[in-house]
Amino acid sequence: MKHFNKMRKGISIRNILVCLLTFAMLTAMTACDEEETKADEATNIKDVVGTWIEVSVAPRTLAVSEDGTYTLSYEENVEQKGKVTITYEEHPDGSKTAWYDFTPDGGEIWTSFPTFVEGESKNEMYSGQDGAMHFIREDADMKITAEDYLHVWSSGRCYLTVEKKDKKNYEVSISWSSSASESTHWTYICQFDKDTSSLVCKKGATCVNIVIDKKGRDKSKTIYKDGSGSFVIKCGTLRWTDDKEDQGKDLYLVQEDYSNEEGDQGGEN
Protein backbone atom coordinates (compact mmCIF):
# COMPACT_ATOMS: atom_id res chain seq x y z
CA MET A 1 0.00 0.00 0.00
CA LYS A 2 2.81 2.41 0.85
CA HIS A 3 4.46 1.59 -2.49
CA PHE A 4 1.19 2.30 -4.30
CA ASN A 5 0.81 5.65 -2.53
CA LYS A 6 4.34 6.64 -3.56
CA MET A 7 3.56 5.75 -7.18
CA ARG A 8 0.34 7.75 -7.09
CA LYS A 9 2.19 10.69 -5.57
CA GLY A 10 4.85 10.49 -8.29
CA ILE A 11 2.22 10.40 -11.03
CA SER A 12 0.50 13.43 -9.54
CA ILE A 13 3.73 15.42 -9.50
CA ARG A 14 4.38 14.51 -13.14
CA ASN A 15 0.84 15.56 -14.08
CA ILE A 16 1.35 18.89 -12.36
CA LEU A 17 4.65 19.42 -14.19
CA VAL A 18 3.03 18.54 -17.52
CA CYS A 19 0.20 20.98 -16.82
CA LEU A 20 2.65 23.73 -15.88
CA LEU A 21 4.72 23.11 -19.01
CA THR A 22 1.61 23.12 -21.20
CA PHE A 23 0.42 26.33 -19.58
CA ALA A 24 3.82 27.95 -20.19
CA MET A 25 3.76 26.93 -23.86
CA LEU A 26 0.22 28.27 -24.34
CA THR A 27 1.21 31.52 -22.64
CA ALA A 28 4.22 31.87 -24.93
CA MET A 29 2.09 31.15 -28.01
CA THR A 30 -0.50 33.68 -26.89
CA ALA A 31 2.25 36.26 -26.35
CA CYS A 32 3.56 35.60 -29.88
CA ASP A 33 0.05 35.95 -31.29
CA GLU A 34 -0.42 39.21 -29.41
CA GLU A 35 2.96 40.45 -30.64
CA GLU A 36 2.06 39.63 -34.24
CA THR A 37 -1.35 41.22 -33.79
CA LYS A 38 0.32 44.40 -32.55
CA ALA A 39 2.65 44.25 -35.56
CA ASP A 40 -0.40 43.89 -37.84
CA GLU A 41 -1.96 46.92 -36.24
CA ALA A 42 1.24 48.93 -36.70
CA THR A 43 1.70 47.69 -40.28
CA ASN A 44 -1.65 48.22 -41.92
CA ILE A 45 -2.74 47.79 -45.51
CA LYS A 46 -4.11 51.34 -45.38
CA ASP A 47 -0.55 52.67 -45.71
CA VAL A 48 -0.46 51.52 -49.35
CA VAL A 49 -4.04 52.41 -50.28
CA GLY A 50 -4.09 54.83 -53.19
CA THR A 51 -2.73 55.20 -56.73
CA TRP A 52 0.97 54.66 -57.47
CA ILE A 53 2.90 55.43 -60.67
CA GLU A 54 6.00 53.46 -61.69
CA VAL A 55 9.22 55.34 -62.40
CA SER A 56 9.87 53.91 -65.88
CA VAL A 57 9.94 54.90 -69.55
CA ALA A 58 6.72 52.86 -69.82
CA PRO A 59 5.12 53.57 -66.42
CA ARG A 60 2.49 51.26 -65.00
CA THR A 61 -0.25 52.35 -62.61
CA LEU A 62 -0.82 50.46 -59.36
CA ALA A 63 -4.16 51.13 -57.63
CA VAL A 64 -4.69 49.67 -54.13
CA SER A 65 -8.18 49.67 -52.60
CA GLU A 66 -9.14 49.77 -48.92
CA ASP A 67 -10.35 46.16 -49.04
CA GLY A 68 -6.81 45.01 -49.91
CA THR A 69 -7.40 44.35 -53.60
CA TYR A 70 -5.21 45.92 -56.26
CA THR A 71 -5.15 46.57 -60.01
CA LEU A 72 -1.91 46.91 -61.96
CA SER A 73 -2.53 48.67 -65.29
CA TYR A 74 -0.17 48.34 -68.25
CA GLU A 75 -0.23 49.99 -71.64
CA GLU A 76 -2.89 48.95 -74.16
CA ASN A 77 -5.53 48.37 -71.45
CA VAL A 78 -3.84 45.30 -69.96
CA GLU A 79 -4.61 44.77 -66.28
CA GLN A 80 -3.52 42.47 -63.46
CA LYS A 81 -5.86 42.12 -60.48
CA GLY A 82 -5.02 40.57 -57.14
CA LYS A 83 -4.78 40.86 -53.36
CA VAL A 84 -2.35 42.60 -50.99
CA THR A 85 -1.38 40.72 -47.83
CA ILE A 86 1.18 41.28 -45.08
CA THR A 87 3.77 38.55 -44.41
CA TYR A 88 6.73 38.40 -42.04
CA GLU A 89 10.31 37.37 -42.76
CA GLU A 90 12.02 36.04 -39.63
CA HIS A 91 15.74 36.66 -39.18
CA PRO A 92 18.31 34.53 -37.27
CA ASP A 93 18.31 37.02 -34.37
CA GLY A 94 14.56 36.58 -33.93
CA SER A 95 13.61 39.95 -35.45
CA LYS A 96 11.08 40.16 -38.25
CA THR A 97 10.64 42.22 -41.41
CA ALA A 98 7.12 42.87 -42.64
CA TRP A 99 6.36 42.85 -46.38
CA TYR A 100 3.44 43.82 -48.56
CA ASP A 101 2.91 40.84 -50.89
CA PHE A 102 1.05 41.47 -54.15
CA THR A 103 -0.47 38.23 -55.45
CA PRO A 104 -2.49 38.05 -58.71
CA ASP A 105 -5.84 36.26 -58.57
CA GLY A 106 -5.18 32.56 -59.02
CA GLY A 107 -1.41 33.03 -59.35
CA GLU A 108 1.83 33.32 -57.42
CA ILE A 109 3.30 36.45 -55.82
CA TRP A 110 4.01 39.16 -58.40
CA THR A 111 6.28 41.19 -56.12
CA SER A 112 6.78 42.36 -52.54
CA PHE A 113 7.49 45.79 -51.06
CA PRO A 114 8.96 46.28 -47.56
CA THR A 115 6.49 47.96 -45.24
CA PHE A 116 7.09 51.54 -44.23
CA VAL A 117 9.39 52.25 -41.31
CA GLU A 118 8.28 54.80 -38.75
CA GLY A 119 9.52 58.24 -39.68
CA GLU A 120 10.18 57.53 -43.37
CA SER A 121 8.19 58.84 -46.33
CA LYS A 122 5.13 56.83 -47.34
CA ASN A 123 5.19 58.25 -50.86
CA GLU A 124 7.73 55.85 -52.43
CA MET A 125 8.00 52.05 -52.68
CA TYR A 126 10.94 49.96 -53.92
CA SER A 127 10.33 46.27 -54.62
CA GLY A 128 12.25 43.34 -53.11
CA GLN A 129 15.78 43.47 -51.74
CA ASP A 130 17.23 45.13 -54.86
CA GLY A 131 14.63 47.85 -55.41
CA ALA A 132 14.15 46.75 -59.01
CA MET A 133 10.77 48.46 -59.28
CA HIS A 134 10.17 52.00 -58.04
CA PHE A 135 6.67 53.39 -57.51
CA ILE A 136 5.70 56.90 -56.36
CA ARG A 137 2.35 57.88 -54.92
CA GLU A 138 0.41 59.80 -57.57
CA ASP A 139 -0.73 62.60 -55.26
CA ALA A 140 2.51 62.84 -53.30
CA ASP A 141 3.43 66.37 -52.29
CA MET A 142 7.08 66.11 -53.28
CA LYS A 143 8.68 69.52 -53.76
CA ILE A 144 10.64 69.67 -57.00
CA THR A 145 13.55 72.10 -57.28
CA ALA A 146 15.37 73.41 -60.35
CA GLU A 147 18.37 71.23 -59.46
CA ASP A 148 16.21 68.09 -59.76
CA TYR A 149 16.13 68.67 -63.53
CA LEU A 150 19.92 68.76 -63.99
CA HIS A 151 20.32 65.24 -65.40
CA VAL A 152 20.36 63.30 -68.64
CA TRP A 153 16.90 61.87 -69.29
CA SER A 154 15.92 59.32 -71.90
CA SER A 155 13.16 57.27 -73.45
CA GLY A 156 14.14 54.87 -76.21
CA ARG A 157 16.06 56.87 -78.85
CA CYS A 158 15.12 60.22 -77.32
CA TYR A 159 17.72 61.86 -75.06
CA LEU A 160 17.18 65.06 -73.12
CA THR A 161 19.87 67.00 -71.21
CA VAL A 162 19.24 69.86 -68.80
CA GLU A 163 22.13 72.23 -67.96
CA LYS A 164 22.28 75.45 -66.00
CA LYS A 165 23.46 78.35 -68.15
CA ASP A 166 23.42 81.16 -65.59
CA LYS A 167 21.60 82.26 -62.45
CA LYS A 168 18.13 82.25 -64.04
CA ASN A 169 18.36 80.26 -67.27
CA TYR A 170 18.45 76.53 -67.98
CA GLU A 171 19.18 74.99 -71.37
CA VAL A 172 17.21 71.92 -72.39
CA SER A 173 18.71 70.01 -75.33
CA ILE A 174 16.79 67.16 -76.95
CA SER A 175 18.09 64.70 -79.52
CA TRP A 176 15.69 62.17 -81.03
CA SER A 177 16.95 59.74 -83.69
CA SER A 178 14.48 58.36 -86.19
CA SER A 179 17.19 56.23 -87.86
CA ALA A 180 20.95 55.72 -87.89
CA SER A 181 21.36 58.60 -90.34
CA GLU A 182 18.66 61.05 -89.29
CA SER A 183 17.82 62.84 -86.06
CA THR A 184 15.95 65.90 -84.83
CA HIS A 185 17.30 68.34 -82.24
CA TRP A 186 15.46 70.85 -80.08
CA THR A 187 16.94 73.58 -77.88
CA TYR A 188 14.95 75.44 -75.24
CA ILE A 189 16.15 78.23 -72.95
CA CYS A 190 13.96 77.93 -69.86
CA GLN A 191 13.33 79.60 -66.53
CA PHE A 192 12.22 77.75 -63.41
CA ASP A 193 8.64 78.48 -62.37
CA LYS A 194 8.41 78.07 -58.58
CA ASP A 195 4.59 78.01 -58.59
CA THR A 196 4.41 74.95 -60.87
CA SER A 197 7.92 73.55 -60.13
CA SER A 198 8.48 73.36 -63.90
CA LEU A 199 10.94 74.64 -66.51
CA VAL A 200 9.23 77.01 -68.93
CA CYS A 201 10.37 78.37 -72.30
CA LYS A 202 8.09 81.15 -73.51
CA LYS A 203 9.74 81.81 -76.88
CA GLY A 204 12.78 81.26 -79.10
CA ALA A 205 13.02 77.45 -78.99
CA THR A 206 14.68 75.96 -82.07
CA CYS A 207 14.22 72.72 -83.96
CA VAL A 208 16.82 71.38 -86.41
CA ASN A 209 16.74 68.22 -88.52
CA ILE A 210 20.09 66.59 -89.28
CA VAL A 211 20.71 63.98 -92.00
CA ILE A 212 24.05 62.22 -92.56
CA ASP A 213 24.67 61.42 -96.23
CA LYS A 214 26.53 58.41 -97.63
CA LYS A 215 29.85 60.26 -97.38
CA GLY A 216 29.33 60.94 -93.69
CA ARG A 217 28.60 64.63 -94.12
CA ASP A 218 26.00 66.36 -91.97
CA LYS A 219 23.19 68.20 -93.69
CA SER A 220 21.08 70.27 -91.33
CA LYS A 221 17.74 71.98 -91.91
CA THR A 222 16.20 74.45 -89.48
CA ILE A 223 12.53 73.61 -88.97
CA TYR A 224 11.68 76.59 -86.80
CA LYS A 225 13.14 79.20 -84.43
CA ASP A 226 9.97 80.38 -82.72
CA GLY A 227 9.05 77.43 -80.55
CA SER A 228 8.03 77.30 -76.90
CA GLY A 229 7.29 74.61 -74.33
CA SER A 230 7.69 73.39 -70.79
CA PHE A 231 9.05 70.49 -68.76
CA VAL A 232 7.77 69.06 -65.49
CA ILE A 233 8.76 66.15 -63.25
CA LYS A 234 5.85 63.96 -62.19
CA CYS A 235 6.18 60.69 -60.30
CA GLY A 236 9.88 60.45 -61.09
CA THR A 237 9.49 60.93 -64.85
CA LEU A 238 10.09 64.03 -66.97
CA ARG A 239 7.19 65.19 -69.16
CA TRP A 240 7.79 67.42 -72.18
CA THR A 241 5.12 69.77 -73.52
CA ASP A 242 6.01 70.97 -77.03
CA ASP A 243 3.75 73.92 -77.84
CA LYS A 244 4.72 73.96 -81.52
CA GLU A 245 4.17 70.38 -82.73
CA ASP A 246 3.21 68.42 -79.57
CA GLN A 247 6.16 66.06 -80.08
CA GLY A 248 6.34 65.30 -76.33
CA LYS A 249 2.86 63.81 -76.13
CA ASP A 250 2.77 60.51 -74.16
CA LEU A 251 6.54 60.67 -73.70
CA TYR A 252 7.91 59.65 -70.28
CA LEU A 253 11.62 60.28 -69.82
CA VAL A 254 13.57 58.86 -66.90
CA GLN A 255 17.02 59.58 -65.54
CA GLU A 256 19.69 57.49 -67.24
CA ASP A 257 20.17 55.36 -64.10
CA TYR A 258 16.55 54.19 -64.44
CA SER A 259 16.51 53.76 -68.22
CA ASN A 260 15.67 50.20 -69.30
CA GLU A 261 15.74 50.72 -73.05
CA GLU A 262 12.13 49.72 -73.66
CA GLY A 263 12.08 51.26 -77.13
CA ASP A 264 10.52 54.41 -78.54
CA GLN A 265 7.70 56.17 -76.75
CA GLY A 266 5.37 58.83 -78.00
CA GLY A 267 5.39 58.30 -81.77
CA GLU A 268 7.69 59.22 -84.62
CA ASN A 269 9.32 62.46 -85.64
Side-chain angles (χ1 to χ4, degrees):
M1 181 66 70
K2 290 181 179 180
H3 179 68
F4 175 75
N5 288 336
K6 288 181 179 180
M7 289 180 61
R8 186 170 61 181
K9 185 177 181 180
I11 293 172
S12 298
I13 292 173
R14 284 198 297 272
N15 289 341
I16 292 172
L17 290 174
V18 170
C19 289
L20 289 174
L21 180 60
T22 302
F23 177 76
M25 292 176 63
L26 289 173
T27 301
M29 291 173 65
T30 301
C32 288
D33 290 340
E34 290 178 352
E35 182 180 344
E36 193 130 317
T37 299
K38 290 179 180 178
D40 281 330
E41 292 174 353
T43 309
N44 201 293
I45 294 294
K46 69 180 182 182
D47 287 342
V48 290
V49 170
T51 302
W52 302 79
I53 307 297
E54 185 177 17
V55 179
S56 168
V57 296
R60 295 172 291 181
T61 301
L62 177 63
V64 182
S65 303
E66 292 184 359
D67 62 0
T69 58
Y70 76 87
T71 300
L72 179 69
S73 301
Y74 298 75
E75 292 182 336
E76 300 176 358
N77 299 318
V78 177
E79 291 185 340
Q80 175 194 116
K81 294 182 178 293
K83 185 79 174 177
V84 185
T85 56
I86 297 175
T87 58
Y88 295 87
E89 177 187 4
E90 189 167 355
H91 304 293
D93 62 358
S95 63
K96 293 182 180 180
T97 298
W99 293 84
Y100 295 116
D101 288 345
F102 286 72
T103 305
D105 294 337
E108 298 181 351
I109 292 177
W110 160 57
T111 192
S112 298
F113 297 94
T115 58
F116 299 111
V117 178
E118 185 177 354
E120 75 174 4
S121 170
K122 295 182 180 180
N123 290 326
E124 293 186 271
M125 297 193 300
Y126 291 86
S127 67
Q129 301 286 354
D130 58 359
M133 287 183 285
H134 181 196
F135 282 81
I136 295 179
R137 196 181 292 276
E138 185 179 46
D139 57 355
D141 183 18
M142 302 179 71
K143 186 64 177 178
I144 301 299
T145 67
E147 284 67 31
D148 292 324
Y149 287 88
L150 301 178
H151 297 281
V152 176
W153 305 77
S154 69
S155 176
R157 293 194 295 257
C158 182
Y159 288 86
L160 183 153
T161 303
V162 182
E163 296 180 328
K164 189 171 184 178
K165 287 187 68 67
D166 51 46
K167 189 175 182 179
K168 293 184 178 180
N169 296 310
Y170 297 82
E171 182 175 280
V172 179
S173 302
I174 304 170
S175 176
W176 200 341
S177 300
S178 56
S179 67
S181 60
E182 185 174 0
S183 59
T184 305
H185 301 261
W186 294 262
T187 302
Y188 294 82
I189 302 301
C190 302
Q191 290 77 44
F192 182 68
D193 185 332
K194 292 183 179 179
D195 293 333
T196 60
S197 297
S198 62
L199 292 178
V200 179
C201 173
K202 295 182 178 180
K203 61 180 181 179
T206 63
C207 177
V208 177
N209 184 255
I210 297 178
V211 177
I212 302 175
D213 63 22
K214 294 181 180 180
K215 295 183 178 181
R217 293 174 299 190
D218 294 349
K219 182 179 181 180
S220 62
K221 178 182 179 181
T222 299
I223 308 301
Y224 59 78
K225 295 182 180 180
D226 60 348
S228 62
S230 60
F231 305 84
V232 64
I233 296 174
K234 288 185 178 181
C235 299
T237 61
L238 182 66
R239 318 291 177 85
W240 167 30
T241 299
D242 172 26
D243 297 336
K244 191 76 172 179
E245 297 177 331
D246 201 22
Q247 290 288 354
K249 184 180 179 180
D250 299 326
L251 188 69
Y252 298 84
L253 298 107
V254 297
Q255 291 181 30
E256 273 292 272
D257 289 343
Y258 292 128
S259 180
N260 52 11
E261 299 298 331
E262 293 189 25
D264 290 345
Q265 304 292 325
E268 298 293 332
N269 279 313

